Amino acid sequence: MKNVLWFLLGIATGFVAAHVLNKDPRGAEVLADIDARIDEFVDRIGEAYRLEEARRTSADDAPAA
């Protein structure tokens, strides 16, 4: 139970720190850069998933040799 408390305290502290950091123009720029990197990562993962799904679907549609 103690570990859960520390985990929740860490999350709350992170939110407070991000809020304070976002108020500063330089901090907002850093957070915007982090957000852009996360979006790029998510887009790449999504694209890779769709490509793999298309590859598997086309392999399932191919006639058995």
Side-chain angles (χ1 to χ4, degrees):
M1 193 66 179
K2 184 177 178 181
N3 288 337
V4 173
L5 179 65
W6 281 111
F7 178 72
L8 293 175
L9 185 63
I11 289 175
T13 303
F15 276 115
V16 170
H19 181 72
V20 170
L21 191 63
N22 196 33
K23 286 185 177 182
D24 182 35
R26 292 174 295 175
E29 185 178 327
V30 168
L31 290 177
D33 183 48
I34 291 170
D35 188 46
R37 289 179 186 216
I38 290 171
D39 287 343
E40 180 183 352
F41 175 75
V42 169
D43 289 343
R44 287 184 181 188
I45 294 296
E47 182 181 342
Y49 176 81
R50 287 186 293 278
L51 287 172
E52 181 64 19
E53 185 177 31
R55 185 187 67 82
R56 288 180 184 240
T57 302
S58 66
D60 290 342
D61 293 340

